[in-house]
Amino acid sequence: MPVIGDSSAILEFEKMLPQHQAAITLMNSVLQNPLVDKVNWLDLACGKGQIISQLNENLTLENRKKITYYGYDINVDYTKIVSKIADNLNFMDYVIHIGDLSSFDNILPKDLKFDFITCTNVTHEIHPQKFLEIILGVIKRLNAYGQLFLYDMESLSNPELGALPLKASDIKRLVETILRVAGSDFKVCPSTWSHRTCKGWSLVINRNYLGVSNDNFVKSTTKILDALHNEIGMMLNMKLTECKQVLDTFTSYGTETSDEEEQKMTSLYEFWSLHKALEDLI
Ligand SMILES: C[S@@+](CC[C@H](N)C(=O)[O-])C[C@H]1O[C@@H](n2cnc3c(N)ncnc32)[C@H](O)[C@@H]1O
């Protein structure tokens, strides 16, 4: 799967991002359960480890000792940084895997399941068809009471060539397509968040709420992928039509304000990303 060249992960020890704070708060409530003595945490596309950069302040030593942390990313330099941070956190254990997201299911040991899976600030960098296939694989990797935490931006303050941010409504529609075809009528409820420079969405999926077995997901895989293909095709075409309308207007009337100039640039980037995404869908 091609990795976009403008991709970059941040690492600022002094700066805790709200999405990481939310994920750790969720996990802290699991760790506080006196019956829980071991938590397997998979951090997909972990970047440089920003989410664990303040963990010695966010979680008690006692609770960190319950965690086996699995970091996973395609960037070797980033994974070295993550290893160094993880080494100082007194985890029960940590394992760092290097690989493409689309291969995570083959790279991780077959019988390994997770209590907590995070994938933050990543969705916009992956083709929606691939990303949703990854989500399908991730759901099957959750323990019976496991939780998945997803977060991404609806738009990027610094546009990246080839990146395609999805809206909360897009992710809802696509995740529910997976669930519906597998036989679950569970409705996911993404939250949206307005930040100073962008808007984001988050989604928590509790495995035990889905009411459908892994066997059903496996049996329905071909149908799920076909249904996703259709939904994503419709979604991309609709976005392209809207994007063209915006660009048509700017072509005819120009831009008058700095906000409009910004919107023009965002739409130009989006136009390219949508074209590429549609090309890669065929
Ligand atoms: C914006 S960073 C987010 C990092 C981290 N999750 C965070 O919240 O700070 C996106 C990450 O996705 C990784 N990535 C992008 N495409 C990937 C792929 N196809 N396979 C694995 N990792 C990928 C990049 O290497 C980068 O570390």
Side-chain angles (χ1 to χ4, degrees):
M1 198 162 62
V3 178
I4 61 174
D6 282 349
S7 165
S8 68
I10 64 153
L11 178 60
E12 290 182 39
F13 286 93
E14 303 303 316
K15 182 175 164 186
M16 175 50 75
L17 300 180
Q19 54 270 43
H20 296 158
Q21 190 172 338
I24 293 165
T25 304
L26 202 60
M27 189 170 47
N28 200 10
S29 82
V30 174
L31 288 163
Q32 283 175 64
N33 182 344
L35 301 176
V36 169
D37 57 6
K38 186 176 182 331
V39 165
N40 275 353
W41 172 14
L42 172 62
D43 188 18
L44 277 178
C46 57
K48 296 179 186 166
Q50 179 70 27
I51 198 168
I52 57 168
S53 63
Q54 290 184 3
L55 219 60
N56 55 0
E57 293 174 39
N58 313 141
L59 300 175
T60 61
L61 174 63
E62 198 185 22
N63 283 338
R64 293 200 307 277
K65 282 182 172 173
K66 295 181 180 179
I67 296 174
T68 300
Y69 174 81
Y70 295 84
Y72 187 106
D73 204 282
I74 199 163
N75 186 314
V76 180
D77 293 337
Y78 291 178
T79 56
K80 283 184 193 158
I81 298 170
V82 176
S83 290
K84 200 170 168 198
I85 300 172
D87 205 38
N88 285 315
L89 286 171
N90 303 98
F91 285 143
M92 178 183 281
D93 200 0
Y94 70 89
V95 187
I96 309 297
H97 288 278
I98 300 163
D100 194 289
L101 271 181
S102 60
S103 310
F104 93 92
D105 208 27
N106 297 325
I107 289 178
L108 295 174
K110 280 280 164 265
D111 53 350
L112 186 59
K113 294 270 181 85
F114 298 94
D115 306 291
F116 197 57
I117 301 182
T118 45
C119 186
T120 55
N121 307 339
V122 177
T123 314
H124 63 276
E125 298 196 5
I126 312 291
H127 190 286
Q129 179 78 24
K130 284 281 167 233
F131 188 74
L132 271 294
E133 281 180 41
I134 292 160
I135 296 304
L136 172 60
V138 160
I139 291 172
K140 290 186 284 181
R141 286 286 186 151
L142 287 170
N143 275 327
Y145 290 91
Q147 291 182 311
L148 165 65
F149 179 87
L150 297 173
Y151 175 92
D152 202 31
M153 283 69 75
E154 290 202 333
S155 61
L156 303 175
S157 45
N158 292 320
E160 298 168 10
L161 211 52
L164 186 59
L166 298 183
K167 305 262 185 237
S169 54
D170 299 325
I171 200 76
K172 175 176 172 61
R173 173 174 159 189
L174 299 178
V175 171
E176 286 179 0
T177 298
I178 296 182
L179 299 179
R180 190 184 63 249
V181 179
S184 167
D185 56 8
F186 184 75
K187 301 287 177 241
V188 296
C189 302
S191 305
T192 52
W193 310 93
S194 291
H195 307 299
R196 192 169 45 81
T197 55
C198 70
K199 196 171 170 181
W201 55 263
S202 63
L203 179 60
V204 179
I205 296 180
N206 287 274
R207 183 66 185 87
N208 63 326
Y209 294 172
L210 302 185
V212 63
S213 69
N214 273 3
D215 280 351
N216 271 19
F217 282 114
V218 173
K219 269 189 263 165
S220 319
T221 300
T222 309
K223 284 186 183 162
I224 292 172
L225 299 185
D226 286 349
L228 280 174
H229 190 275
N230 286 342
E231 286 288 337
I232 290 166
M234 282 190 290
M235 179 189 85
L236 294 176
N237 276 308
M238 198 181 301
K239 283 180 184 289
L240 189 60
T241 306
E242 286 167 6
C243 182
K244 274 181 181 166
Q245 279 166 357
V246 172
L247 289 173
D248 260 344
T249 307
F250 288 137
T251 303
S252 302
Y253 302 107
T255 55
E256 285 177 7
T257 63
S258 58
D259 277 358
E260 283 184 351
E261 190 58 29
E262 199 176 306
Q263 200 190 352
K264 181 179 85 179
M265 291 314 293
T266 304
S267 300
L268 283 169
Y269 273 89
E270 194 188 11
F271 185 75
W272 170 243
S273 299
L274 287 167
H275 250 280
K276 262 194 76 53
L278 274 162
E279 236 174 51
D280 294 345
L281 188 66
I282 295 160

